[in-house]
Amino acid sequence: MNMLRDRLSLAAVLPADHGSAMLIGRAWVPQRGGPVPVQVRAEGLHDLSGIARTVSGLLELASPTAAIAAAGALPRIAGLADTLANCDPLLRDPSQPWLLAPCDLQALKASGVTFVASMLERVIEEQTRGDASRAAAARKAVVAVIGDNLSSVRPGSADAARLKQVLVEQGMWSQYLEVGIGPDAEIFTKSQPMSAVGVGVEVGIHPRSEWNNPEPEIVLAINSRGDVVGATLGNDVNLRDFEGRSALLLGKAKDNNASCAIGPFIRLFDQGFGIDDVRACEVLLRIEGLDGFELSGSSSMSKISRDPLDLAAQAIGANHRYPDGLMLFMGTMFAPTKDRYAPGQGFTHAVGDVVTVHTPRLGALVNRVNHADKTEPWTFGVGALIAHLTR
């Protein structure tokens, strides 16, 4: 049985209301020798390159949805079901199209510690120095001091400042609490433009990592003017042991081959879907292992400690300009603690795990886990895109 292939049906991947959704993405089209921006419909993929040659260029238009509507009939590239089935690199027919991450030249940024549950887990990683075997004891000790319900504390508020003073006096202040309830959000570079992987392919964990997990998140599509123009799903694959040893290892914990998954498609904002719908999303995650291990969880956007538009404003503005726009991961409250191998060690990935990130209005992002050095090599970068567009 190929679990990944079985999870790539139209019914599973498309949003529940896909008939009224404006979905865009990218497909690798062998006949074109490279990527093509596409509009996604249930019956197929339609070429958007007559409107814009890149997705980032499309999102720079005054109204991407109006431009697509005004274009009329768009050339059909391929059937969506066949293209989804062709995404798995183990089964791929290289002569036929497959889907890519739905972004291209945008910067790939992420917000950290935006939910109380994940904030506490980051503190625990710090306390254990990345040793999973000490996590259960550290969790109990941390909760005993700071509690497990900080959701009423507004980041940057006077209450947050008073709480900080108390925790400093008790020797429990943490860099993760600083960005969790302090005035400044953590915004970091997740990966490089063009490096994100899409639906149906492998995501990568470092082969030396012994404590790692997926991070199911909503990802905002933001143009160079700072306008949030759409949303999609992401898996911010994370190495808990690397980051736990030192926060200065964040780059190694977060940025490895195929460690940034985005997709399946960007849903553009229109009259039927907007930022309020993002605020109401419940992001579900399911992990299925070849060893029979299963884990499910959820992350409710209603429990985020910083509003999505606040995170966007902290990511781009007068001090942070991105001429090609950016994709912004908004963080997760999902931090798996279910034991997989030994009591008290919690969850970690195994090669072959199939990870599904799902919410009804955005569809499902499905990937299989492999070691980062064994995933499909990233060879098509910005230079290759320029050469492709020139041809």
Side-chain angles (χ1 to χ4, degrees), residues 50 52 54 69 82 93 148 176 185 204 209 278 289 297 303 317 328 335 346 370:
T54 63
D82 291 340
D93 178 353
D148 60 358
Y176 295 106
S209 175
V278 170
K303 296 182 179 179
L328 180 63
N370 202 347

Side-chain angles (χ1 to χ4, degrees), residues 23-41:
L23 304 173
I24 62 168
R26 290 166 65 240
W28 184 275
V29 182
Q31 294 78 9
R32 304 278 188 89
V36 176
V38 295
Q39 183 187 8
V40 183
R41 304 173 187 169

Side-chain angles (χ1 to χ4, degrees), residues 136-288:
R139 190 173 294 110
K140 183 177 180 180
V142 168
V143 170
V145 174
I146 67 175
D148 60 358
N149 185 13
L150 300 176
S151 58
S152 62
V153 180
R154 184 168 57 86
S157 67
D159 286 342
R162 284 191 290 269
L163 176 61
K164 174 179 179 177
Q165 183 60 38
V166 171
L167 294 175
V168 168
E169 292 171 356
Q170 296 186 28
M172 286 300 298
W173 189 247
S174 162
Q175 59 200 337
Y176 295 106
L177 289 167
E178 177 65 50
V179 296
I181 63 176
D184 297 310
E186 180 189 18
I187 307 290
F188 61 91
T189 297
K190 169 60 183 177
S191 197
Q192 304 305 306
M194 302 288 293
S195 69
V197 298
V199 66
V201 299
E202 293 178 328
V203 291
I205 54 173
H206 197 288
R208 286 199 291 112
S209 175
E210 297 180 350
W211 189 19
N212 48 69
N213 62 263
E215 293 191 359
E217 307 185 20
I218 288 182
V219 182
L220 298 179
I222 307 172
N223 64 24
S224 67
R225 300 181 294 278
D227 302 323
V228 181
V229 294
T232 183
L233 294 169
N235 183 354
D236 176 15
V237 182
N238 182 48
L239 310 181
R240 299 191 68 179
D241 46 3
F242 280 47
E243 185 179 1
R245 284 192 284 123
S246 170
L248 297 180
L249 293 175
L250 180 67
K252 286 195 172 184
K254 292 289 190 179
D255 188 4
N256 296 287
N257 294 336
S259 67
C260 179
I262 298 177
F265 317 112
I266 294 173
R267 181 167 186 169
L268 296 179
F269 287 175
D270 55 20
Q271 291 184 343
F273 183 79
I275 194 65
D276 284 338
D277 297 286
V278 170
R279 293 184 177 113
C281 279
E282 186 90 7
V283 181
L284 308 176
L285 179 130
R286 182 174 178 81
I287 301 168
E288 302 168 279

Side-chain angles (χ1 to χ4, degrees), residues 261-347:
I262 298 177
F265 317 112
I266 294 173
R267 181 167 186 169
L268 296 179
F269 287 175
D270 55 20
Q271 291 184 343
F273 183 79
I275 194 65
D276 284 338
D277 297 286
V278 170
R279 293 184 177 113
C281 279
E282 186 90 7
V283 181
L284 308 176
L285 179 130
R286 182 174 178 81
I287 301 168
E288 302 168 279
L290 296 176
D291 56 359
F293 179 89
E294 294 188 2
L295 185 150
S296 298
S298 63
S299 184
S300 174
M301 288 297 297
S302 66
K303 296 182 179 179
I304 197 168
S305 58
R306 300 181 192 268
D307 187 75
L309 293 184
D310 176 43
L311 291 173
Q314 291 211 32
I316 183 172
N319 297 315
H320 299 91
R321 299 190 187 281
Y322 298 98
D324 297 302
L326 69 150
M327 305 296 292
L328 180 63
F329 284 75
M330 286 193 292
T332 183
M333 64 179 289
F334 181 74
T337 58
K338 179 180 178 181
D339 293 332
R340 184 169 197 169
Y341 297 118
Q345 290 194 4
F347 169 81

